[in-house]
Amino acid sequence: MSMGGAIATMIDTVTGTHATFLSGPVMTANLNINYRRPIPLGSTVLLESSLEKKEGRKTFITCRVTSTDGSKLHTETSALFLSITASHLLGG
Ligand SMILES: CCCCCCCCCC(=O)SCCNC(=O)CCNC(=O)[C@H](O)C(C)(C)COP(=O)(O)OP(=O)(O)OC[C@H]1O[C@@H](n2cnc3c(N)ncnc32)[C@H](O)[C@@H]1OP(=O)(O)O
């Protein structure tokens, strides 16, 4: 079975890339993952990332991880990304 942290990394990467595409530079503020069914090691899965809403600096994304045919739901996620400036990255 795949480790929950490895699954979280996959989800953070996909939803973070999606949020960056929509909103520019962002950081993950909240990642809420419900693990519904285990992911067998070595299996191929589908990640579907969707914009829920944008409110000011906040970009809310949802993401489902399913089997490739969509029949098995492995995880459901809601994520919040906050738009940041370069000074935030430098600690300002
Ligand atoms: C192309 C390649 C792309 C690759 C993408 C990969 C994406 C991966 C990105 C990451 O994993 S980043 C690393 C993990 N994340 C962090 O380390 C973030 C650590 N946290 C922070 O740096 C700051 O808390 C953060 C930038 C997220 C927010 O700080 P700010 O000072 O900019 O915002 P502030 O705390 O003033 O909050 C602004 C608003 O957001 C809300 N907010 C902030 N954090 C929240 C939270 N966790 N949950 C809910 N709401 C939150 C906050 O309540 C407020 O709402 P209102 O404007 O309505 O009052």
Side-chain angles (χ1 to χ4, degrees):
M1 296 304 137
S2 303
M3 294 283 288
I7 297 168
T9 300
M10 200 166 61
I11 293 168
D12 194 27
T13 304
V14 168
T15 55
T17 301
H18 189 183
T20 301
F21 177 76
L22 295 170
S23 303
V26 294
M27 284 187 95
T28 314
N30 181 268
L31 194 61
N32 188 309
I33 302 176
N34 287 317
Y35 295 91
R36 300 290 189 196
R37 283 173 196 266
I39 298 179
L41 271 184
S43 60
T44 303
V45 290
L46 183 69
L47 281 86
E48 190 178 357
S49 176
S50 308
L51 172 67
E52 186 189 335
K53 60 181 172 179
K54 279 183 64 157
E55 280 176 358
R57 293 175 56 214
K58 302 176 193 173
T59 302
F60 295 85
I61 302 273
T62 59
C63 182
R64 284 161 52 88
V65 179
T66 64
S67 53
T68 49
D69 66 359
S71 66
K72 276 201 194 106
L73 176 65
H74 294 296
T75 70
E76 287 173 307
T77 299
S78 56
L80 168 62
F81 295 89
L82 261 284
S83 293
I84 52 157
T85 58
S87 69
H88 185 90
L89 287 176
L90 298 171

